[in-house]
Amino acid sequence: MKRKKIVAGNWKMNMNIDESKNLVSQLKEISAANVDIKIAPSFTNLYLTNSLLESSKIDVISQDLHHEQSGAYTGEISADMLLSIGVKTSIVGHSERRKYFNESDIILSKKVNSAIQNSMNVIFCIGEELSERNNNNHFEIIKSQLLNGIFHLEVSNFQNIIIAYEPVWAIGTGMTASSDQIQEMHEFIRNLIKSNYGIETSESVRILYGGSVKPNNAKEIFSLEDVDGGLIGGASLNASDFSEIVKAANEL
Ligand code: 13P
């Protein structure tokens, strides 16, 4: 089955409002018929970037959300708030949230539930640490992150789910996983979805790779059978690098 590629830029905690405006003005022109393009700016930039990109092909998404709809949760942002400014998709479970903010599988599954109940889309991130791979534990880790994070969902919910496999050791290190490692893990993930939800779902769900994707390796990674695009960190902060990566996906 041919799945439409996704290239999503995760800006992380970068870009103040002026820098965002500048980057967005350069990104505005990007269009690629075969690619769904997304960017995830920080909360303070969401409203403005979304307004500036309204007539473009770029979808503005959130880096995170809280699992409650409203209430006494100082510093947090809910699905309802995101929807109210036109943001319909959120990343959930990025390894930096898991690691630096102690977001457990239980919390992450609640975030997924909140997004789904609000008809939002989720880019659900999973990935192993280097020590886990070195101990040959990586498949078990990925399986448990999926089981605990999203495998409680109904089959119909998978229309709103995108998975991003991001090996923690490849994030921001310039150390990309090899093509064999990437394809092997993506196939493993797709097979798990198949055994839990059936072939129709496993063939339609999009699985992105993240971890040091750059213009010079994007095409090779995106051409792997079970890779449906990428979640891009560092290179998404540079308009020409990000455009090159989108172009690589569009040509496949
Ligand atoms: P880098 O592309 O900077 O390695 O980051 C990947 C990532 O964490 C995207 O969410």
Side-chain angles (χ1 to χ4, degrees), residues 8-10 12 91 94-96 125 166 170-174 210-214 231-236:
N10 175 8
K12 308 192 180 185
I91 297 171
H94 192 280
S95 62
E96 288 147 18
C125 300
E166 301 201 298
I171 295 178
T173 58
S212 299
V213 177
K214 307 286 175 201
L231 187 52
I232 321 298
S236 73

Side-chain angles (χ1 to χ4, degrees), residues 43 64-66 73-78 81 97 103 111:
F43 287 135
D64 191 25
L65 82 173
H66 192 264
Y73 300 97
T74 302
E76 294 296 323
I77 300 286
S78 69
M81 292 170 173
R97 300 294 318 169
E103 292 196 359
K111 291 187 176 206

Side-chain angles (χ1 to χ4, degrees), residues 63-91:
Q63 297 177 17
D64 191 25
L65 82 173
H66 192 264
H67 58 271
E68 294 290 347
Q69 197 77 344
S70 64
Y73 300 97
T74 302
E76 294 296 323
I77 300 286
S78 69
D80 179 55
M81 292 170 173
L82 293 172
L83 287 170
S84 75
I85 58 162
V87 172
K88 301 184 193 73
T89 300
S90 182
I91 297 171

